[in-house]
Amino acid sequence: MNLPTLPDTLREQHSGKGWPLALVGSLLLLVSGLLSWSFDPSILGDISIAFWPASLQLFAMILGAVGVLLALMHRGPLHRLGDWFDTALGLRALGTGSLLFVVFSLVAIASEAGGLVNVNPGGWLALAGALLLTVGARFVPQRQLNSFAKAKANPVLEIVVIVLGMAAILFGAAYVLGRDDPWIFVGFLVMAAVAFMALARAGFFTWMSHVAQRHRHVLTLAAFVVAFLFPFTQDGSDANMSIATQVLIFAATAIGLNIVVGLAGLLDLGYIAFLGSGAYVGAMMSNAASATIGWKPPFIVVMLIGACVAATLGLIIGSPTLRVSGDYLAIVTLAFGEIFRLSMFNLDGNNGPDLTNGPNGIPGIPDLNLFGFDFGKPHTVFGIQLGRFSNYYFILLLLIGFIILVFTRLNNSRIGRGWVAIREDERAAEAMGVNTFGLKLLGFAVGAFLAGLAGTIKAHQDTAASPDQYIFLESAFLLAAVVLGGMGTVAGVLIGATILKLLPEKLRFFSEYRLLLFGLLLVIMMRVRPEGLIASKRRQLEFHEDDEELAQEVQADHLIDAAPEAAR
């Protein structure tokens, strides 16, 4: 997102002009949101009113506020923070991104209102501010920074930052899901991406990772509180909650895959079969008229059976195939995913046992009813009506909590360190006495077990199970969520799963071009941040080997992890 770097001599010669220009540009961006941007009040959420910012005006003000904050941290009342944050790099990323955002906004106004003649002074002021910020940021000199590992802030302040960050995520998600205008939705994505890159380049998220380590329990609690409150921001909308439930199912499955790919380093391209096996078990043992198994145990039992069936399939596919690795393992798992899908087609009573009704699947699956609570009926809580999908959202949230607990416990155990050793160098791990085959098989079984749990709920939430739901493209999306979010991390995979499931749904207004745009966004993201949006330090070091501070942090974390083992 940065422009080509200026020569050092030129930057030193005009360094005194860079900071004032960047500050003025940021202030102009901030003020522009208070002015009218268009003559037409019927477009883009009515951006024709002054001193009442909406949509694009509000987004410009957010970018301007980030610019003012970074500028004052570089030189001003907050200058002491500039010793820890790389404000120069942050301002450069913000300047380039803000210019991109303003140009996009002007194009949106011209497209919706019929030409640039309909752009009011607020839009042109935003363009001037973005240009000044872009130019000024190029001349802002970088400073010598302190290490975040030595930073000690007020614990109360750090907790406040965590709470404010979670609140921003909640309101941001509620806002963007409530936007039907494609220009506003894409504008929000551009604004969020620009702000994210600016703060990331400045080192804000590196600091947040240290804060998260110091207040891990607070962060976890805040995250679950935000997730719990999300349905109460949707005014009973089933459309958005349907997307949210699909995101949670996708995320739960992706965390299971993260064990196989992110920790053990095994490339699995047929993982969707484990989700499908759990879904079919849930469908066959449901009270649907087309269900093929007469036994109808309680749903908790069904969940365990579906998870065990998926784990058994993981053992079956893992035992003969984990002797291979790399591309060969990917081909074998890809074949397994296709075998599962074709088997569901053939188990129709003609080509095999009558279990799945073949291509017709098992439709008409009734909603869950646990302890007298009907998931198919709306319920009113605190005066807010929660629909059918909100009910499933809450049970999926509990499932996500259980899966995260399993993942983190395994990751921090001797088993998790064995998986990481296999991922880094399988031959070296085996030479050190690690049971590589047993641990790889365990990884397949545990990951499949977690996916099977999610599948049993998915069958009832979808009210149907059919082979067409479990194609190779779904496995590819799951793998992309792990890689994009950050291999071996929980928060990264949750964010990656949200992006990969949310964007295609909200980009439907682009019709046949939505997958093309979606692919381009993924390419840009992976080009800018190849280690993932929220990467583990070890994974990040693979892409930034010259970062000595990061190497010291990774070594310190390794010593901390090894201390309990040495004590034993």
Side-chain angles (χ1 to χ4, degrees):
M1 189 172 285
N2 280 340
L3 295 174
T5 305
L6 294 174
D8 292 337
T9 54
L10 182 62
R11 179 176 292 117
E12 292 176 1
Q13 184 179 357
H14 299 281
S15 60
K17 305 174 184 176
W19 180 81
L21 286 177
L23 180 60
V24 170
S26 300
L27 289 172
L28 290 180
L29 261 180
L30 185 61
V31 172
S32 69
L34 300 175
L35 303 178
S36 172
W37 279 36
S38 173
F39 290 103
D40 191 346
S42 64
I43 64 169
L44 303 172
D46 192 1
I47 54 175
S48 63
I49 303 177
F51 300 101
W52 192 264
S55 64
L56 300 179
Q57 296 167 301
L58 185 62
F59 302 159
M61 293 184 71
I62 292 174
L63 293 179
V66 174
V68 171
L69 176 64
L70 292 175
L72 295 181
M73 286 168 58
H74 188 84
R75 185 198 305 174
L78 306 176
H79 70 279
R80 290 186 178 181
L81 294 176
D83 295 334
W84 303 92
F85 296 93
D86 198 336
T87 52
L89 282 182
L91 284 170
R92 292 171 199 171
L94 181 68
T96 308
S98 298
L99 184 59
L100 175 65
F101 168 77
V102 174
V103 170
F104 167 83
S105 301
L106 296 181
V107 170
I109 296 172
S111 175
E112 292 291 298
L116 289 174
V117 69
N118 294 292
V119 178
N120 266 0
W124 298 117
L125 185 65
L127 180 62
L131 285 170
L132 286 176
L133 175 57
T134 303
V135 174
R138 311 310 298 171
F139 294 98
V140 174
Q142 289 184 256
R143 298 165 60 176
Q144 188 70 30
L145 304 179
N146 297 324
S147 172
F148 283 117
K150 304 176 183 178
K152 291 183 180 180
N154 189 328
V156 176
L157 177 61
E158 292 181 341
I159 293 175
V160 169
V161 171
I162 291 175
V163 172
L164 291 178
M166 289 297 154
I169 292 174
L170 174 62
F171 288 110
Y175 178 86
V176 71
L177 283 174
R179 302 306 101 188
D180 295 326
D181 191 315
W183 288 106
I184 296 178
F185 178 76
V186 176
F188 178 87
L189 293 183
V190 174
M191 180 275 296
V194 171
F196 177 88
M197 285 306 304
L199 294 174
R201 291 292 178 89
F204 176 79
F205 294 110
T206 303
W207 174 69
M208 281 298 298
S209 68
H210 289 275
V211 172
Q213 288 293 327
R214 290 192 287 268
H215 306 282
R216 189 176 306 170
H217 299 297
V218 175
L219 179 62
T220 302
L221 177 61
F224 272 96
V225 168
V226 165
F228 177 81
L229 293 176
F230 175 74
F232 296 95
T233 66
Q234 298 304 304
D235 295 327
S237 170
D238 268 349
N240 291 336
M241 291 311 303
S242 173
I243 298 175
T245 55
Q246 293 294 337
V247 167
L248 288 184
I249 292 172
F250 191 74
T253 312
I255 293 175
L257 178 60
N258 198 20
I259 293 177
V260 180
V261 176
L263 297 183
L266 306 173
L267 184 57
D268 188 345
L269 296 180
Y271 194 78
I272 195 66
F274 302 128
L275 179 69
S277 62
Y280 265 101
V281 170
M284 290 186 290
M285 292 186 175
S286 69
N287 291 316
S290 55
T292 55
I293 295 180
W295 185 37
K296 314 296 181 185
F299 182 68
I300 301 298
V301 177
V302 174
M303 286 185 69
L304 293 176
I305 294 174
C308 290
V309 168
T312 303
L313 290 178
L315 292 174
I316 292 174
I317 186 61
S319 298
T321 59
L322 288 182
R323 300 292 182 182
V324 298
S325 60
D327 298 339
Y328 300 100
L329 178 61
I331 293 171
V332 171
T333 54
L334 171 61
F336 168 70
E338 287 300 297
I339 289 171
F340 171 81
R341 185 176 65 86
L342 295 175
S343 297
M344 296 303 101
F345 273 113
N346 292 327
L347 296 179
D348 57 357
N350 295 321
N351 303 305
D354 186 11
L355 294 176
T356 65
N357 295 325
N360 295 323
I362 303 177
I365 302 174
D367 287 300
L368 289 174
N369 192 312
L370 294 178
F371 309 109
F373 184 88
D374 190 346
F375 282 73
K377 295 181 179 179
H379 298 80
T380 301
V381 180
F382 303 126
I384 300 174
Q385 188 177 44
L386 301 177
R388 173 180 180 271
F389 290 104
S390 296
N391 299 330
Y392 282 100
Y393 176 89
F394 287 119
I395 191 174
L396 286 167
L397 197 59
L398 292 176
L399 177 64
I400 281 281
F402 171 75
I403 291 177
I404 290 175
L405 178 64
V406 172
F407 180 89
T408 53
R409 292 295 184 183
L410 286 174
N411 188 22
N412 296 327
S413 68
R414 181 179 298 180
I415 294 174
R417 287 189 287 274
W419 281 331
V420 172
I422 294 172
R423 184 191 69 192
E424 298 299 328
D425 193 325
E426 183 175 348
R427 291 177 181 269
E430 190 171 7
M432 294 300 293
V434 176
N435 183 359
T436 56
F437 180 77
L439 284 180
K440 288 194 294 183
L441 200 59
L442 179 63
F444 254 84
V446 173
F449 183 91
L450 299 178
L453 288 175
T456 56
I457 300 178
K458 177 178 170 60
H460 289 270
Q461 191 258 322
D462 291 344
T463 69
S466 63
D468 293 333
Q469 294 175 288
Y470 307 104
I471 58 177
F472 164 71
L473 185 61
E474 294 296 324
S475 293
F477 268 64
L478 286 169
L479 181 62
V482 174
V483 176
L484 173 65
M487 294 173 60
T489 65
V490 173
V493 172
L494 290 175
I495 293 175
T498 302
I499 292 174
L500 288 175
K501 205 65 180 178
L502 177 63
L503 284 187
E505 292 293 334
K506 299 299 288 187
L507 291 177
R508 287 187 181 276
F509 48 78
F510 283 118
S511 186
E512 64 270 16
Y513 297 105
R514 68 188 180 103
L515 288 180
L516 173 62
L517 294 174
F518 180 58
L520 289 175
L521 286 174
L522 290 182
V523 171
I524 293 173
M525 286 181 182
M526 297 312 298
R527 174 62 183 87
V528 173
R529 196 170 176 83
E531 65 271 23
L533 295 176
I534 301 181
S536 64
K537 291 186 178 67
R538 293 178 182 177
R539 178 73 175 168
Q540 194 173 10
L541 188 59
E542 295 177 9
F543 294 91
H544 305 279
E545 296 179 355
D546 56 341
D547 194 331
E548 296 182 1
E549 180 181 340
L550 181 60
Q552 293 175 0
E553 293 178 7
V554 171
Q555 185 178 7
D557 290 344
H558 177 71
L559 292 175
I560 292 173
D561 292 339
E565 289 296 317
R568 293 193 187 100

